[in-house]
Amino acid sequence: MRKRGQGLIALAFLAPALLCLAVLRIVPAISAVVESFYAESLLRGGRVFAGLGNYTDLVSNKDFRQAVGVTLLFTVLVNPIQVVVSFLLAVLFTQRAMGSKLWRTLVILPIATPPAVSAVIWSVIYRPDGLANGVLERLGLPVQPFLTSSGQVLPSLIVLLSWIGVGYWMLFLIAGIQEVPVEVREAALLDGASAWRRMVSVILPLVRRPLAFVLVADTVSNLLVFAPVQILTKGGPNGNSNLLMYDVYTRAYAIGDIHVAQAEVVILVALTLAIVAGQFRLLRGDQ
Amino acid sequence: MKPRLQSLSLSVLGGVVGILFFLPLLWVLTNSLRPGSETFAHLTLSWRTFFELKPTLHNYSALLSSDVGRATLNSILVSAATVVIGLAVCASAAFGLAAFEYRGRGLVFGIVVLSFLVPFDAIAIPLSTMFRDWQLTNTFTGLVLPGIGNGMAIFLLRQFFLGIPAELVEAGRLDGLGWFGVFRWIYLPLSRPALIGAGLMLFLFQWQSYVWPLLIGTDAKHILGPVALSNLQGQNFADYGLVFAGAVVLTVIPLMVIAGFQRYFVQSVASSGLK
């Protein structure tokens, strides 16, 4: 009897959060799935059941197929780069070396910058007469088109996103490395020629958990990249940076086809879940 | 000798990496201190690209009366409201998940945390069509609402609450405190570090958001900082001095908040990654 009373009181404390959860997460998720099976009908005025119509429309749409391709290519490139760089920097900045704390702080600083603000900053850096070309010129290298080149646009976005993200993911890995006893780390370090190799072979297995977390969380956040695309490239040139999240947005609000956009949201979330599930299997299979 | 040499080379390597990451921000800061017309005058790379001998605060005073200035105030207001309401909602939920014994507690906990782990941006578009039907576009309510339920914040607070000894609660109950009293006068005062960590999460989520404010609040009265800055940058003859000053302000505000609560920030990051 007492337990039951406690449950009701607990429910009262939980109620606001559960309400938020229902209204702000579960209902829109369900509504996206439901609406994706409907279409706006001009003839009958209102929405009509369309079955898988929106999905088949999407799959036969060339722009959508290109957006999926671009998103997958981007995913395959950006995540390994960011995870590896974050890990290497985490190892570097947990060594005993002069100024290590200061340098680490400089790498972390960009995480304070909101992604949209970073995108604005880099839009000026990547201008034909911007900072990036200024650096190249100084180094005696030819100037580059960056965002207006089909081949360079994704790498340019990856550099910008890594500038934002690497410091953040590095924090998790540093926390993981610091859990490893100092003696283990230093023993690995002091061993001369193969120090680096040992560092990686000793540290790497010990930070598996934070590393797995970073890989999965980074992948999810990269599948939802939006601000840099909307601010810098509008998906161009020729759709070569048209990531799915931006494609959903333009479909919903520029093209105005909300039902097809909902179907695309469902596909995007399904894709995310599939990739994350795949990563979990891979990580587990490793052990 | 050898370890020292190694330490020196590591230090140099770390320095190069750190400076590379810092240069874009330094460049933004420098250009915010010179007139917009000069932004592209110093791009033949020299030390002057990154330093200004005659800094002027002109861009910052212009910012005060610009859309970005107004939008920054909106961002502060919306983020502050998110932190206050969000902490109330999340702490209360965490209390419901930590202080009571009942069947299905683990299940409720799992549902709460898992559902909030669905990244918000993924459902921003379906949610925005609902908010349009509910007349919540261009309202502060519409901007604040999605930020107040935060799964990581609930998780963090619950972990902390679980460590509060049951004897304290019993003593409080014997002294005639109701459950809300136990929450308000025992749990909350003991949980300052966790509350600050959770508050930081709520703040950063809201301050950094872009998709949602773009979908839901773009009129002059409700526009938020990042959206206004990106509008400014998108204009044909943007005043880059103003753009850079806006970028500095929108970065320095969260930076000060993070720096002020650095300990809690690192702790909350560490605990969410390790558990």
Side-chain angles (χ1 to χ4, degrees):
Chain A
M1 197 60 213
R2 188 160 163 247
K3 298 243 149 147
R4 198 189 144 145
Q6 286 221 333
L8 284 178
I9 300 166
L11 193 65
F13 278 100
L14 277 160
L18 291 179
L19 193 69
C20 286
L21 179 90
V23 174
L24 302 170
R25 308 280 156 141
I26 295 173
V27 174
I30 293 173
S31 115
V33 174
V34 172
E35 292 297 318
S36 73
F37 293 115
Y38 283 84
E40 220 56 58
S41 163
L42 291 176
L43 273 177
R44 283 201 261 163
R47 42 171 233 162
V48 291
F49 187 72
L52 289 172
N54 293 325
Y55 291 92
T56 50
D57 276 3
L58 272 176
V59 174
S60 61
N61 180 315
K62 226 178 85 217
D63 293 339
F64 169 76
R65 287 206 308 260
Q66 189 194 13
V68 173
V70 167
T71 306
L72 289 177
L73 176 65
F74 174 73
T75 303
V76 169
L77 290 175
V78 72
N79 295 306
I81 292 175
Q82 291 189 345
V83 173
V84 168
V85 172
S86 311
F87 175 71
L88 294 181
L89 291 184
V91 172
L92 174 62
F93 289 125
T94 44
Q95 306 299 314
R96 211 172 280 171
M98 217 176 47
S100 202
K101 277 251 165 66
L102 171 69
W103 307 136
R104 188 204 290 186
T105 308
L106 292 183
V107 172
I108 298 168
L109 276 185
I111 73 177
T113 316
V117 175
S118 303
V120 167
I121 293 172
W122 283 80
S123 76
V124 193
I125 293 180
Y126 281 143
R127 275 170 55 120
D129 54 355
L131 180 64
N133 272 327
V135 173
L136 289 181
E137 241 173 323
R138 190 75 201 188
L139 296 174
L141 298 169
V143 296
Q144 298 297 328
F146 298 115
L147 301 175
T148 51
S149 144
S150 297
Q152 291 179 15
V153 68
L154 273 191
S156 302
L157 288 182
I158 290 173
V159 168
L160 137 69
L161 286 163
S162 303
W163 181 73
I164 304 174
V166 159
Y168 182 66
W169 302 120
M170 182 187 79
L171 280 180
F172 293 94
L173 298 176
I174 286 179
I177 290 176
Q178 281 169 343
E179 297 271 296
V180 179
V182 179
E183 305 82 60
V184 177
R185 281 190 270 151
E186 304 222 313
L189 187 70
L190 285 175
D191 221 2
S194 62
W196 169 249
R197 230 218 197 118
R198 272 161 187 270
M199 193 71 207
V200 174
S201 64
V202 172
I203 298 295
L204 196 57
L206 291 171
V207 292
R208 288 190 64 98
R209 286 190 67 184
L211 210 53
F213 169 81
V214 165
L215 177 64
V216 171
D218 191 24
T219 304
V220 172
S221 82
N222 281 323
L223 279 165
L224 298 170
V225 163
F226 174 79
V229 179
Q230 194 251 354
I231 292 170
L232 270 73
T233 71
K234 307 277 180 212
N238 304 318
N240 277 297
S241 64
N242 191 18
L243 297 178
L244 271 175
M245 188 67 200
Y246 182 69
D247 198 54
V248 173
Y249 170 79
T250 47
R251 213 171 288 279
Y253 292 115
I255 304 175
D257 199 336
I258 195 73
H259 294 284
V260 180
Q262 308 270 32
E264 199 173 353
V265 169
V266 174
I267 293 177
L268 175 58
V269 172
L271 188 70
T272 307
L273 290 177
I275 291 176
V276 168
Q279 287 176 336
F280 270 121
R281 271 193 84 166
L282 208 70
L283 292 167
R284 195 167 297 163
D286 264 16
Q287 265 168 355
Chain B
M1 186 61 212
K2 213 172 168 200
R4 185 175 280 183
L5 194 69
Q6 193 174 32
S7 152
L8 185 70
S9 56
L10 284 175
S11 178
V12 170
L13 184 61
V16 170
V17 172
I19 288 169
L20 277 178
F21 269 80
F22 184 57
L23 277 185
L25 285 179
L26 179 63
W27 186 64
V28 170
L29 179 67
T30 305
N31 280 299
S32 76
L33 297 172
R34 55 168 71 123
S37 53
E38 285 180 30
T39 300
F40 299 100
H42 298 286
L43 277 173
T44 312
L45 215 59
S46 71
W47 62 271
R48 287 216 56 188
T49 311
F50 297 104
F51 295 96
E52 177 58 55
L53 292 180
K54 287 176 285 176
T56 155
L57 289 178
H58 172 78
N59 292 321
Y60 289 92
S61 59
L63 193 69
L64 283 179
S65 55
S66 74
D67 293 345
V68 180
R70 168 82 193 247
T72 305
L73 288 181
N74 286 343
S75 275
I76 294 174
L77 180 76
V78 165
S79 301
T82 304
V83 171
V84 173
I85 304 170
L87 272 184
V89 169
C90 293
S92 149
F95 182 67
L97 288 168
F100 303 97
E101 303 258 346
Y102 50 93
R103 256 206 306 186
R105 185 170 86 155
L107 183 70
V108 178
F109 175 61
I111 292 174
V112 168
V113 170
L114 279 182
S115 330
F116 280 125
L117 284 185
V118 174
F120 176 72
D121 285 358
I123 53 148
I125 283 173
L127 186 63
S128 73
T129 63
M130 289 167 49
F131 271 42
R132 264 158 221 230
D133 294 342
W134 298 341
Q135 323 277 311
L136 283 172
T137 32
N138 289 317
T139 61
F140 285 117
T141 315
L143 286 165
V144 169
L145 265 181
I148 62 178
N150 185 310
M152 287 316 291
I154 296 178
F155 180 80
L156 187 76
L157 286 163
R158 173 190 173 265
Q159 294 302 97
F160 199 90
F161 285 175
L162 285 175
I164 291 177
E167 297 83 52
L168 271 180
V169 178
E170 273 164 36
R173 294 285 290 164
L174 285 177
D175 279 347
L177 280 181
W179 281 112
F180 184 78
V182 171
F183 173 58
R184 173 70 188 82
W185 301 111
I186 297 178
Y187 274 70
L188 291 188
L190 286 174
S191 308
R192 234 189 107 210
L195 286 169
I196 292 174
L200 272 174
M201 284 179 182
L202 291 159
F203 169 79
L204 288 176
F205 174 88
Q206 189 60 270
W207 191 268
Q208 309 237 328
S209 63
Y210 180 72
V211 177
W212 185 250
L214 185 70
L215 294 174
I216 213 79
T218 44
D219 75 0
K221 250 183 88 184
H222 300 94
I223 194 166
L224 296 189
V227 181
L229 190 72
S230 118
N231 285 350
L232 180 64
Q233 182 268 157
Q235 288 166 7
N236 276 335
F237 299 100
D239 177 351
Y240 280 102
L242 204 58
V243 170
F244 284 122
V248 169
V249 170
L250 288 171
T251 302
V252 164
I253 292 174
L255 204 58
M256 288 191 318
V257 174
I258 294 176
F261 298 110
Q262 200 180 14
R263 202 155 50 91
Y264 306 97
F265 179 70
V266 173
Q267 266 171 11
S268 63
V269 163
S271 65
S272 57
L274 292 175
K275 277 165 189 156

